[in-house]
Amino acid sequence: MTASEHADSADIEALAKFLSESGSSAVAPFALVRRGKVMCFFDNPATATESGIQAYADRAFTVIDIRAQRVVRRR
């Protein structure tokens, strides 16, 4: 497993843990996750990506499709 695949997996696990601990479903279909922390939810991946780019100069974030449990955009 490459470093980025490991980071993707860790972010997906962090999202799953957040959702299970909150006891609710996601408010939108895409999540922006940064270093294992769920930062925000979005209705489309382009908006999530743009928000991440503007917020994090190092671009260390992942956009995850919540329903599919897959990475849409990685760092």
Side-chain angles (χ1 to χ4, degrees):
M1 181 179 283
T2 67
S4 74
E5 289 172 335
H6 179 70
D8 293 349
S9 177
D11 284 347
I12 290 171
E13 288 175 22
L15 175 60
K17 181 179 177 184
F18 173 84
L19 293 173
S20 70
E21 289 178 353
S22 70
S24 64
S25 61
V27 296
F30 298 93
L32 184 131
V33 182
R34 177 174 164 85
R35 298 182 179 151
K37 292 185 179 181
V38 177
M39 305 309 286
C40 201
F41 294 96
F42 293 88
D43 288 325
N44 70 63
T47 303
T49 300
E50 185 62 31
S51 178
I53 289 169
Q54 290 180 14
Y56 308 112
D58 62 1
R59 300 193 177 179
F61 65 91
T62 306
V63 176
I64 299 172
D65 180 330
I66 296 168
R67 292 183 189 113
Q69 291 287 307
R70 69 177 181 83
V71 172
V72 176
R73 190 259 181 217
R74 75 173 45 103
R75 19 189 145 321

